[in-house]
Amino acid sequence: MKRFTVAAAQYPIEQLSSWQDYADKLTRWVEQAAAGGAALAVFPEYGAMELASLDPATMGDLAGSLASVSALLPQVDALHSVLAARFGLHILAASAPAALESGAYVNRARLFAPSGTVGVQDKLVMTRFEREEWGVAASPTLRLFDTALGRIGVNICYDSEFPLLARAQVEAGMDLLLVPSCTDSEHGYWRVRLGSQARALEGQCYAVHSPTVGEAPWSPAVDVNRGAAAIYGPPDRGMPASGVVAIGAMDAPQWVFAEVDLDLVAQLRADGGVLNSRHWSEQPGAVTLPAVEVVDLS
């Protein structure tokens, strides 16, 4: 499928009273994305941290919230698999802490296909909060997902601010970059937004930005959330001059929808007004790129 609709969530962090509250909320959001015609629904970084509110004894503790949310991840993923199949769309689930056998936690996004296949991308570069206060660990593995929609890459929040990651995915054939984020200030939001737009410019591809929004004073991890969801493209023929294909109202819970055309991506890379993607290697000091593992979800 070369032309389809993407839905990017401005997803509110809320205090939940039960697992059923969460299941009902997620189902409602996915149902709304499907009703809007989306073939791909993108949720934000650390959106799953609202599940920490299901354990009042630990929800106010950084370490406790990691453990409680990670323990629910199999149940969360089973629900996403059911919803992806039920509504016939791909879902990038809100990222969550995932416990490793070593006892460390990583920040993990999961891409669910309607067929039941699942791809995993962990965050590679950790923010100061993650590494200095929360103890969330970096992952070394960068992936690209072959799907029925096209080749999809994920840069989780801060990862989008480092160009070599997305560039390596572009070299491996990426058509569409997903950027789930969680930022507590306008400064943070703009860093990720500018990173997303820069990656779309350099790679001559689409970038889909999905942030958390709202306040959760009970959580020391996601207490304040700022942002606007958007779909960005390279500012070239057939795209908006600003590169902003669609964008939401700042901080308002909502879906932002846009149609993406992967044939246009191929056309711009072959014969655009500029050829940023092709000319990358002509930069003085261009370096060896990270390895990319390609995973088949088709």
Side-chain angles (χ1 to χ4, degrees), residues 13-15 46 49-50 52-53 58-62 65 129 134 215-225:
I13 298 292
E14 297 173 332
Q15 189 166 359
Y46 287 133
M49 289 311 299
E50 64 182 353
S53 63
T58 61
M59 70 182 189
D61 176 69
L62 283 173
S65 63
F129 174 71
W134 211 5
E215 296 187 0
W218 49 268
S219 171
V222 289
D223 52 338
V224 179
N225 302 272

PDB file of all heavy atoms in Angstrom, residues 13-15 46 49-50 52-53 58-62 65 129 134 215-225:
ATOM      1  N   ILE A  13      -2.147  11.516  29.424  1.00  0.00           N
ATOM      2  CA  ILE A  13      -1.822  10.670  30.576  1.00  0.00           C
ATOM      3  C   ILE A  13      -2.896  10.896  31.634  1.00  0.00           C
ATOM      4  O   ILE A  13      -3.124  12.032  32.073  1.00  0.00           O
ATOM      5  CB  ILE A  13      -0.442  11.020  31.140  1.00  0.00           C
ATOM      6  CG1 ILE A  13       0.650  10.767  30.086  1.00  0.00           C
ATOM      7  CG2 ILE A  13      -0.158  10.224  32.408  1.00  0.00           C
ATOM      8  CD1 ILE A  13       0.865   9.320  29.742  1.00  0.00           C
ATOM      9  N   GLU A  14      -3.549   9.813  32.050  1.00  0.00           N
ATOM     10  CA  GLU A  14      -4.657   9.930  32.998  1.00  0.00           C
ATOM     11  C   GLU A  14      -4.495   8.933  34.134  1.00  0.00           C
ATOM     12  O   GLU A  14      -3.868   7.884  33.969  1.00  0.00           O
ATOM     13  CB  GLU A  14      -5.990   9.682  32.273  1.00  0.00           C
ATOM     14  CG  GLU A  14      -6.285  10.714  31.195  1.00  0.00           C
ATOM     15  CD  GLU A  14      -7.508  10.389  30.365  1.00  0.00           C
ATOM     16  OE1 GLU A  14      -7.838   9.191  30.229  1.00  0.00           O
ATOM     17  OE2 GLU A  14      -8.126  11.331  29.843  1.00  0.00           O
ATOM     18  N   GLN A  15      -5.079   9.251  35.272  1.00  0.00           N
ATOM     19  CA  GLN A  15      -5.071   8.327  36.403  1.00  0.00           C
ATOM     20  C   GLN A  15      -6.213   7.333  36.217  1.00  0.00           C
ATOM     21  O   GLN A  15      -7.369   7.718  36.054  1.00  0.00           O
ATOM     22  CB  GLN A  15      -5.224   9.077  37.727  1.00  0.00           C
ATOM     23  CG  GLN A  15      -5.011   8.186  38.939  1.00  0.00           C
ATOM     24  CD  GLN A  15      -4.829   8.981  40.223  1.00  0.00           C
ATOM     25  OE1 GLN A  15      -4.850  10.213  40.208  1.00  0.00           O
ATOM     26  NE2 GLN A  15      -4.645   8.286  41.326  1.00  0.00           N
ATOM     27  N   TYR A  46       6.262   6.537  26.403  1.00  0.00           N
ATOM     28  CA  TYR A  46       5.863   6.463  27.811  1.00  0.00           C
ATOM     29  C   TYR A  46       4.380   6.714  28.053  1.00  0.00           C
ATOM     30  O   TYR A  46       3.966   6.981  29.177  1.00  0.00           O
ATOM     31  CB  TYR A  46       6.707   7.401  28.676  1.00  0.00           C
ATOM     32  CG  TYR A  46       8.120   6.922  28.897  1.00  0.00           C
ATOM     33  CD1 TYR A  46       9.210   7.780  28.735  1.00  0.00           C
ATOM     34  CD2 TYR A  46       8.388   5.605  29.277  1.00  0.00           C
ATOM     35  CE1 TYR A  46      10.518   7.333  28.937  1.00  0.00           C
ATOM     36  CE2 TYR A  46       9.694   5.154  29.480  1.00  0.00           C
ATOM     37  CZ  TYR A  46      10.750   6.030  29.310  1.00  0.00           C
ATOM     38  OH  TYR A  46      12.033   5.589  29.518  1.00  0.00           O
ATOM     39  N   MET A  49       2.872   4.724  30.862  1.00  0.00           N
ATOM     40  CA  MET A  49       3.148   4.992  32.278  1.00  0.00           C
ATOM     41  C   MET A  49       1.887   5.343  33.066  1.00  0.00           C
ATOM     42  O   MET A  49       1.899   5.311  34.291  1.00  0.00           O
ATOM     43  CB  MET A  49       4.186   6.114  32.413  1.00  0.00           C
ATOM     44  CG  MET A  49       5.586   5.730  31.998  1.00  0.00           C
ATOM     45  SD  MET A  49       6.178   4.169  32.721  1.00  0.00           S
ATOM     46  CE  MET A  49       6.118   4.559  34.468  1.00  0.00           C
ATOM     47  N   GLU A  50       0.770   5.642  32.375  1.00  0.00           N
ATOM     48  CA  GLU A  50      -0.465   5.866  33.116  1.00  0.00           C
ATOM     49  C   GLU A  50      -0.899   4.588  33.842  1.00  0.00           C
ATOM     50  O   GLU A  50      -1.642   4.646  34.833  1.00  0.00           O
ATOM     51  CB  GLU A  50      -1.572   6.371  32.202  1.00  0.00           C
ATOM     52  CG  GLU A  50      -2.026   5.418  31.129  1.00  0.00           C
ATOM     53  CD  GLU A  50      -3.098   6.028  30.226  1.00  0.00           C
ATOM     54  OE1 GLU A  50      -3.572   7.140  30.511  1.00  0.00           O
ATOM     55  OE2 GLU A  50      -3.456   5.366  29.231  1.00  0.00           O
ATOM     56  N   ALA A  52       0.860   2.916  35.738  1.00  0.00           N
ATOM     57  CA  ALA A  52       1.430   2.920  37.089  1.00  0.00           C
ATOM     58  C   ALA A  52       0.386   3.326  38.127  1.00  0.00           C
ATOM     59  O   ALA A  52       0.489   2.945  39.300  1.00  0.00           O
ATOM     60  CB  ALA A  52       2.625   3.875  37.158  1.00  0.00           C
ATOM     61  N   SER A  53      -0.636   4.075  37.692  1.00  0.00           N
ATOM     62  CA  SER A  53      -1.673   4.515  38.638  1.00  0.00           C
ATOM     63  C   SER A  53      -2.536   3.361  39.131  1.00  0.00           C
ATOM     64  O   SER A  53      -3.292   3.526  40.101  1.00  0.00           O
ATOM     65  CB  SER A  53      -2.552   5.577  37.981  1.00  0.00           C
ATOM     66  OG  SER A  53      -3.252   5.063  36.864  1.00  0.00           O
ATOM     67  N   THR A  58       2.896   2.088  44.622  1.00  0.00           N
ATOM     68  CA  THR A  58       4.173   2.355  43.960  1.00  0.00           C
ATOM     69  C   THR A  58       4.112   3.472  42.922  1.00  0.00           C
ATOM     70  O   THR A  58       5.149   3.849  42.387  1.00  0.00           O
ATOM     71  CB  THR A  58       4.689   1.082  43.258  1.00  0.00           C
ATOM     72  OG1 THR A  58       3.740   0.674  42.260  1.00  0.00           O
ATOM     73  CG2 THR A  58       4.896  -0.050  44.251  1.00  0.00           C
ATOM     74  N   MET A  59       2.919   4.000  42.618  1.00  0.00           N
ATOM     75  CA  MET A  59       2.811   4.928  41.493  1.00  0.00           C
ATOM     76  C   MET A  59       3.592   6.220  41.697  1.00  0.00           C
ATOM     77  O   MET A  59       3.968   6.878  40.734  1.00  0.00           O
ATOM     78  CB  MET A  59       1.345   5.244  41.196  1.00  0.00           C
ATOM     79  CG  MET A  59       0.646   6.080  42.234  1.00  0.00           C
ATOM     80  SD  MET A  59      -1.107   6.321  41.765  1.00  0.00           S
ATOM     81  CE  MET A  59      -1.605   7.539  43.006  1.00  0.00           C
ATOM     82  N   GLY A  60       3.880   6.587  42.951  1.00  0.00           N
ATOM     83  CA  GLY A  60       4.641   7.800  43.218  1.00  0.00           C
ATOM     84  C   GLY A  60       6.135   7.562  43.335  1.00  0.00           C
ATOM     85  O   GLY A  60       6.888   8.486  43.665  1.00  0.00           O
ATOM     86  N   ASP A  61       6.575   6.354  43.044  1.00  0.00           N
ATOM     87  CA  ASP A  61       7.979   5.974  43.189  1.00  0.00           C
ATOM     88  C   ASP A  61       8.557   5.631  41.820  1.00  0.00           C
ATOM     89  O   ASP A  61       7.967   4.853  41.067  1.00  0.00           O
ATOM     90  CB  ASP A  61       8.082   4.769  44.126  1.00  0.00           C
ATOM     91  CG  ASP A  61       9.492   4.256  44.253  1.00  0.00           C
ATOM     92  OD1 ASP A  61      10.328   4.949  44.841  1.00  0.00           O
ATOM     93  OD2 ASP A  61       9.759   3.145  43.725  1.00  0.00           O
ATOM     94  N   LEU A  62       9.702   6.191  41.482  1.00  0.00           N
ATOM     95  CA  LEU A  62      10.280   5.967  40.159  1.00  0.00           C
ATOM     96  C   LEU A  62      10.569   4.489  39.903  1.00  0.00           C
ATOM     97  O   LEU A  62      10.161   3.934  38.883  1.00  0.00           O
ATOM     98  CB  LEU A  62      11.558   6.782  39.991  1.00  0.00           C
ATOM     99  CG  LEU A  62      11.379   8.275  39.706  1.00  0.00           C
ATOM    100  CD1 LEU A  62      12.725   8.989  39.743  1.00  0.00           C
ATOM    101  CD2 LEU A  62      10.709   8.488  38.357  1.00  0.00           C
ATOM    102  N   SER A  65       7.326   2.376  39.795  1.00  0.00           N
ATOM    103  CA  SER A  65       6.521   2.535  38.580  1.00  0.00           C
ATOM    104  C   SER A  65       7.104   1.742  37.414  1.00  0.00           C
ATOM    105  O   SER A  65       6.366   1.202  36.588  1.00  0.00           O
ATOM    106  CB  SER A  65       6.376   4.018  38.218  1.00  0.00           C
ATOM    107  OG  SER A  65       7.619   4.617  37.909  1.00  0.00           O
ATOM    108  N   PHE A 129      17.317  12.506  32.351  1.00  0.00           N
ATOM    109  CA  PHE A 129      16.403  11.972  33.366  1.00  0.00           C
ATOM    110  C   PHE A 129      16.438  10.448  33.384  1.00  0.00           C
ATOM    111  O   PHE A 129      16.496   9.828  34.456  1.00  0.00           O
ATOM    112  CB  PHE A 129      14.981  12.465  33.100  1.00  0.00           C
ATOM    113  CG  PHE A 129      13.944  11.851  34.005  1.00  0.00           C
ATOM    114  CD1 PHE A 129      13.875  12.191  35.342  1.00  0.00           C
ATOM    115  CD2 PHE A 129      13.052  10.904  33.511  1.00  0.00           C
ATOM    116  CE1 PHE A 129      12.928  11.620  36.182  1.00  0.00           C
ATOM    117  CE2 PHE A 129      12.098  10.326  34.337  1.00  0.00           C
ATOM    118  CZ  PHE A 129      12.036  10.690  35.675  1.00  0.00           C
ATOM    119  N   TRP A 134      16.260   7.893  36.621  1.00  0.00           N
ATOM    120  CA  TRP A 134      15.317   6.795  36.518  1.00  0.00           C
ATOM    121  C   TRP A 134      15.989   5.440  36.330  1.00  0.00           C
ATOM    122  O   TRP A 134      15.412   4.402  36.611  1.00  0.00           O
ATOM    123  CB  TRP A 134      14.363   7.071  35.363  1.00  0.00           C
ATOM    124  CG  TRP A 134      12.988   6.516  35.542  1.00  0.00           C
ATOM    125  CD1 TRP A 134      12.487   5.879  36.650  1.00  0.00           C
ATOM    126  CD2 TRP A 134      11.938   6.538  34.566  1.00  0.00           C
ATOM    127  NE1 TRP A 134      11.181   5.512  36.433  1.00  0.00           N
ATOM    128  CE2 TRP A 134      10.818   5.906  35.151  1.00  0.00           C
ATOM    129  CE3 TRP A 134      11.833   7.026  33.269  1.00  0.00           C
ATOM    130  CZ2 TRP A 134       9.607   5.752  34.493  1.00  0.00           C
ATOM    131  CZ3 TRP A 134      10.625   6.883  32.613  1.00  0.00           C
ATOM    132  CH2 TRP A 134       9.527   6.254  33.214  1.00  0.00           C
ATOM    133  N   GLU A 215      -1.455  16.598  32.488  1.00  0.00           N
ATOM    134  CA  GLU A 215      -0.724  16.581  33.756  1.00  0.00           C
ATOM    135  C   GLU A 215      -1.120  15.363  34.575  1.00  0.00           C
ATOM    136  O   GLU A 215      -2.283  14.964  34.611  1.00  0.00           O
ATOM    137  CB  GLU A 215      -0.996  17.865  34.539  1.00  0.00           C
ATOM    138  CG  GLU A 215      -0.481  19.109  33.839  1.00  0.00           C
ATOM    139  CD  GLU A 215      -0.602  20.357  34.693  1.00  0.00           C
ATOM    140  OE1 GLU A 215      -1.084  20.259  35.841  1.00  0.00           O
ATOM    141  OE2 GLU A 215      -0.198  21.428  34.209  1.00  0.00           O
ATOM    142  N   ALA A 216      -0.117  14.783  35.233  1.00  0.00           N
ATOM    143  CA  ALA A 216      -0.329  13.627  36.100  1.00  0.00           C
ATOM    144  C   ALA A 216       0.501  13.835  37.367  1.00  0.00           C
ATOM    145  O   ALA A 216       1.583  13.256  37.518  1.00  0.00           O
ATOM    146  CB  ALA A 216       0.090  12.350  35.384  1.00  0.00           C
ATOM    147  N   PRO A 217       0.015  14.688  38.285  1.00  0.00           N
ATOM    148  CA  PRO A 217       0.805  15.045  39.464  1.00  0.00           C
ATOM    149  C   PRO A 217       1.150  13.867  40.366  1.00  0.00           C
ATOM    150  O   PRO A 217       2.078  13.951  41.171  1.00  0.00           O
ATOM    151  CB  PRO A 217      -0.084  16.064  40.185  1.00  0.00           C
ATOM    152  CG  PRO A 217      -1.458  15.861  39.651  1.00  0.00           C
ATOM    153  CD  PRO A 217      -1.276  15.385  38.250  1.00  0.00           C
ATOM    154  N   TRP A 218       0.440  12.753  40.196  1.00  0.00           N
ATOM    155  CA  TRP A 218       0.713  11.556  40.990  1.00  0.00           C
ATOM    156  C   TRP A 218       1.957  10.808  40.513  1.00  0.00           C
ATOM    157  O   TRP A 218       2.460   9.924  41.211  1.00  0.00           O
ATOM    158  CB  TRP A 218      -0.492  10.609  40.920  1.00  0.00           C
ATOM    159  CG  TRP A 218      -0.978  10.363  39.528  1.00  0.00           C
ATOM    160  CD1 TRP A 218      -1.947  11.043  38.860  1.00  0.00           C
ATOM    161  CD2 TRP A 218      -0.495   9.377  38.612  1.00  0.00           C
ATOM    162  NE1 TRP A 218      -2.100  10.557  37.578  1.00  0.00           N
ATOM    163  CE2 TRP A 218      -1.231   9.529  37.413  1.00  0.00           C
ATOM    164  CE3 TRP A 218       0.474   8.374  38.691  1.00  0.00           C
ATOM    165  CZ2 TRP A 218      -1.013   8.716  36.297  1.00  0.00           C
ATOM    166  CZ3 TRP A 218       0.688   7.571  37.584  1.00  0.00           C
ATOM    167  CH2 TRP A 218      -0.051   7.744  36.407  1.00  0.00           C
ATOM    168  N   SER A 219       2.450  11.153  39.316  1.00  0.00           N
ATOM    169  CA  SER A 219       3.574  10.426  38.729  1.00  0.00           C
ATOM    170  C   SER A 219       4.845  11.253  38.746  1.00  0.00           C
ATOM    171  O   SER A 219       4.875  12.367  38.206  1.00  0.00           O
ATOM    172  CB  SER A 219       3.255  10.053  37.273  1.00  0.00           C
ATOM    173  OG  SER A 219       4.408   9.523  36.632  1.00  0.00           O
ATOM    174  N   PRO A 220       5.949  10.741  39.306  1.00  0.00           N
ATOM    175  CA  PRO A 220       7.224  11.460  39.238  1.00  0.00           C
ATOM    176  C   PRO A 220       7.899  11.336  37.881  1.00  0.00           C
ATOM    177  O   PRO A 220       8.887  12.018  37.609  1.00  0.00           O
ATOM    178  CB  PRO A 220       8.063  10.781  40.325  1.00  0.00           C
ATOM    179  CG  PRO A 220       7.539   9.383  40.377  1.00  0.00           C
ATOM    180  CD  PRO A 220       6.067   9.487  40.076  1.00  0.00           C
ATOM    181  N   ALA A 221       7.365  10.477  37.007  1.00  0.00           N
ATOM    182  CA  ALA A 221       7.987  10.236  35.697  1.00  0.00           C
ATOM    183  C   ALA A 221       7.328  11.029  34.580  1.00  0.00           C
ATOM    184  O   ALA A 221       8.013  11.564  33.702  1.00  0.00           O
ATOM    185  CB  ALA A 221       7.927   8.748  35.368  1.00  0.00           C
ATOM    186  N   VAL A 222       5.993  11.113  34.587  1.00  0.00           N
ATOM    187  CA  VAL A 222       5.261  11.773  33.490  1.00  0.00           C
ATOM    188  C   VAL A 222       4.262  12.775  34.074  1.00  0.00           C
ATOM    189  O   VAL A 222       3.093  12.800  33.687  1.00  0.00           O
ATOM    190  CB  VAL A 222       4.552  10.730  32.586  1.00  0.00           C
ATOM    191  CG1 VAL A 222       5.569   9.957  31.767  1.00  0.00           C
ATOM    192  CG2 VAL A 222       3.675   9.777  33.404  1.00  0.00           C
ATOM    193  N   ASP A 223       4.740  13.607  34.973  1.00  0.00           N
ATOM    194  CA  ASP A 223       3.848  14.520  35.693  1.00  0.00           C
ATOM    195  C   ASP A 223       3.343  15.671  34.824  1.00  0.00           C
ATOM    196  O   ASP A 223       2.214  16.145  34.986  1.00  0.00           O
ATOM    197  CB  ASP A 223       4.523  15.058  36.943  1.00  0.00           C
ATOM    198  CG  ASP A 223       5.898  15.649  36.678  1.00  0.00           C
ATOM    199  OD1 ASP A 223       6.517  15.303  35.661  1.00  0.00           O
ATOM    200  OD2 ASP A 223       6.367  16.458  37.503  1.00  0.00           O
ATOM    201  N   VAL A 224       4.170  16.152  33.896  1.00  0.00           N
ATOM    202  CA  VAL A 224       3.790  17.231  32.981  1.00  0.00           C
ATOM    203  C   VAL A 224       4.108  16.787  31.561  1.00  0.00           C
ATOM    204  O   VAL A 224       5.205  16.259  31.311  1.00  0.00           O
ATOM    205  CB  VAL A 224       4.532  18.543  33.304  1.00  0.00           C
ATOM    206  CG1 VAL A 224       4.129  19.644  32.320  1.00  0.00           C
ATOM    207  CG2 VAL A 224       4.259  18.988  34.739  1.00  0.00           C
ATOM    208  N   ASN A 225       3.175  17.018  30.640  1.00  0.00           N
ATOM    209  CA  ASN A 225       3.342  16.549  29.266  1.00  0.00           C
ATOM    210  C   ASN A 225       2.874  17.625  28.299  1.00  0.00           C
ATOM    211  O   ASN A 225       1.737  18.074  28.363  1.00  0.00           O
ATOM    212  CB  ASN A 225       2.525  15.269  29.047  1.00  0.00           C
ATOM    213  CG  ASN A 225       2.915  14.160  30.010  1.00  0.00           C
ATOM    214  OD1 ASN A 225       3.814  13.384  29.743  1.00  0.00           O
ATOM    215  ND2 ASN A 225       2.239  14.095  31.155  1.00  0.00           N
TER     216      ASN A 225
END
